[in-house]
Amino acid sequence: MGDAGVHEARARGDGQAGDDPLTGLAGFAVVLREAGLACDAHRVQAYLAAAEQLDLADPAALYWAGRLTLCADPDDLPRYDQAFGSWFTAEPPPRSRSGARQPKQARTAALTTAERSGSGSGEDEPDELQVAASDQETLRSRDLGELTRAERAHLREMLARLRVDLPLRSSPRRRPARRGALDPARTLRMMLAAGGEPVRLARRHRARRPRRIVLLVDVSGSMSPYADSLLRFAHVVVRRAPGAVEVFTLGTRLTRVSRQLRQRDPEHAMLAAARAVPDFAGGTRLGETLRVFLDRWGQRGVARRAVVVVFSDGWERGDVSLLGEQLARTRRLAHAVLWVNPHAGRDGYAPVQSGIAAALPHIDRLLAGHSLATLERLLLEIRDA
């Protein structure tokens, strides 16, 4: 925002405010909103409540009160500093090295404050913890496609704390055990070591190993509000068992992003996946991309006895009969096929999309995937598949 706009906004505020400092602070929020910051009514209310408890003659206190309540993203900080210096005719306090690495704390605090309505400034710590827990519970049920930037930042932290229990299957290999079938080879070796006497019978049982999970994420234009959150969810699952989880994106073409999502840092993993996928927010050819997946990967072993999860709203631009045929192939190979549709969690939803109608005869479960709570239920379905 230019200096002329700041002076114009200050002139409007001074003409209406008189000596009321709160009007000047509200004018500062207007300046920030015109500069591109998401200063909604809840943030402004939290800022004014914080300012009432401060010494308004202390620029540092005003600076940090506004920064913690009015800024929702690290990209907001340079514009906030410029607007603060222009409006209050004071340089913003210098940033310390320790303060430069606190964006997550600032975003979480801003989210918690923004969700409150009519909260006072004299709350004690247990009340603040209860409010934070209530905010997290509310965010768990929010639609992933309707979150603000601050809520998305908080959601990333909650996704990182998801507990992933992988499904298990029997392995051909057998391991020593206290109970189970007789192990003749070990029993014979023990008898030889004891001079030919059968001192103890050795037992064994089948080992259990993680069952492979295949995640197919639709990244077409109709799924773009959910694609980022679903890929971050896939990153959490991949990090739990990098060797047992495969991730592909579906659009106008098929792209394998398992290697990119195996990176430990989620931001680096998402950047690598974005560079690898050339058809984000494009069209949808579910039947064709599923055929490519089965011909190149699934038939050769990736989908065999695996839990295959398709994330898509079911809008198909290609041949619907081809989609049904490829899902029938998938069902014959896989242990279980789950279809996750973000729209299935809405009231009054009916599976009338052409892709969903073709998929229903060949899938085990149709699930909702529009919120963090539904993704947690999906993890339970995968575990119990």
Side-chain angles (χ1 to χ4, degrees):
M1 181 178 182
D3 293 337
V6 174
H7 293 315
E8 181 181 355
R10 180 183 292 134
R12 293 198 305 264
D14 291 343
Q16 299 173 359
D19 295 329
D20 185 4
L22 293 182
T23 305
L25 297 178
F28 175 53
V30 174
V31 170
L32 292 177
R33 191 178 298 114
E34 295 178 356
L37 275 70
C39 299
D40 55 14
H42 293 294
R43 294 189 183 279
V44 176
Q45 182 181 5
Y47 175 53
L48 296 180
E52 289 179 349
Q53 309 301 319
L54 302 175
D55 181 7
L56 298 182
D58 185 1
L62 279 178
Y63 171 84
W64 286 107
R67 175 167 167 169
L68 292 176
T69 56
L70 299 175
C71 295
D73 192 88
D75 295 336
D76 295 339
L77 299 182
R79 289 176 287 182
Y80 175 82
D81 291 346
Q82 181 182 2
F84 183 89
S86 302
W87 182 263
F88 293 104
T89 64
E91 291 294 330
R95 300 182 188 176
S96 62
R97 289 186 176 270
S98 60
R101 288 189 172 271
Q102 296 178 349
K104 290 187 177 180
Q105 296 178 2
R107 291 200 299 269
T108 304
L111 172 65
T112 305
T113 306
E115 293 289 336
R116 300 179 190 175
S117 58
S119 60
S121 57
E123 296 178 342
D124 53 8
E125 185 175 354
D127 292 337
E128 293 179 357
L129 293 177
Q130 292 177 2
V131 171
S134 176
D135 291 339
Q136 288 191 3
E137 187 61 30
T138 301
L139 185 59
R140 288 180 67 254
S141 59
R142 288 285 305 278
D143 193 301
L144 298 175
E146 300 175 355
L147 301 181
T148 64
R149 265 193 303 183
E151 290 170 336
R152 289 184 183 277
H154 198 181
L155 177 71
R156 294 167 191 168
E157 299 174 3
M158 297 174 68
L159 279 172
R161 296 193 296 268
L162 280 180
R163 179 179 176 181
V164 181
D165 294 326
L166 299 178
L168 300 177
R169 66 179 182 88
S170 297
S171 170
R173 297 186 178 182
R174 299 178 182 269
R175 293 182 177 177
R178 293 184 177 180
R179 296 181 178 87
L182 181 66
D183 188 345
R186 288 181 59 234
T187 302
L188 182 59
R189 288 196 298 270
M190 294 169 61
M191 290 175 59
L192 293 175
E197 294 293 332
V199 178
R200 184 167 58 90
L201 297 179
R203 304 285 178 176
R204 63 182 182 179
H205 69 84
R206 286 188 179 272
R208 296 179 66 81
R209 57 183 300 179
R211 185 180 295 278
R212 183 180 289 109
I213 300 174
V214 180
L215 306 179
L216 305 174
V217 183
D218 186 347
V219 294
S220 62
S222 59
M223 285 288 292
S224 57
Y226 303 94
D228 179 79
S229 299
L230 294 179
L231 285 175
R232 291 181 182 275
F233 170 79
H235 173 260
V236 174
V237 181
V238 169
R239 287 297 306 162
R240 173 64 176 81
V245 182
E246 293 285 348
V247 184
F248 298 83
T249 61
L250 308 177
T252 56
R253 58 180 295 180
L254 178 79
T255 306
R256 181 174 181 260
V257 292
S258 306
R259 180 175 57 84
Q260 289 79 3
L261 295 182
R262 285 172 187 155
Q263 300 185 47
R264 182 179 299 275
D265 185 88
E267 301 304 323
H268 292 168
M270 293 299 296
L271 288 174
R275 288 192 294 265
V277 179
D279 55 346
F280 263 119
T284 314
R285 296 207 304 260
L286 294 176
E288 181 64 25
T289 51
L290 273 177
R291 184 182 64 80
V292 173
F293 163 72
L294 291 172
D295 291 345
R296 185 176 179 182
W297 303 95
Q299 197 80 34
R300 299 183 181 183
V302 171
R304 292 185 182 275
R305 298 183 296 276
V307 178
V308 179
V309 185
V310 182
F311 297 87
S312 178
D313 54 4
W315 291 107
E316 171 64 295
R317 293 187 178 181
D319 186 1
V320 178
S321 61
L322 177 61
L323 175 60
E325 293 173 2
Q326 301 309 313
L327 281 172
R329 286 180 61 192
T330 306
R331 187 65 190 87
R332 289 193 293 269
L333 291 170
H335 176 74
V337 179
L338 308 177
W339 189 294
V340 180
N341 185 349
H343 303 314
R346 298 179 179 177
D347 295 336
Y349 170 81
V352 296
Q353 296 90 349
S354 57
I356 294 294
L360 282 177
H362 311 292
I363 62 177
D364 295 281
R365 291 290 302 276
L366 175 62
L367 305 170
H370 66 290
S371 66
L372 180 61
T374 56
L375 293 180
E376 291 174 343
R377 286 195 288 271
L378 170 62
L379 289 177
L380 297 179
E381 292 287 344
I382 293 175
R383 184 197 65 184
D384 300 334

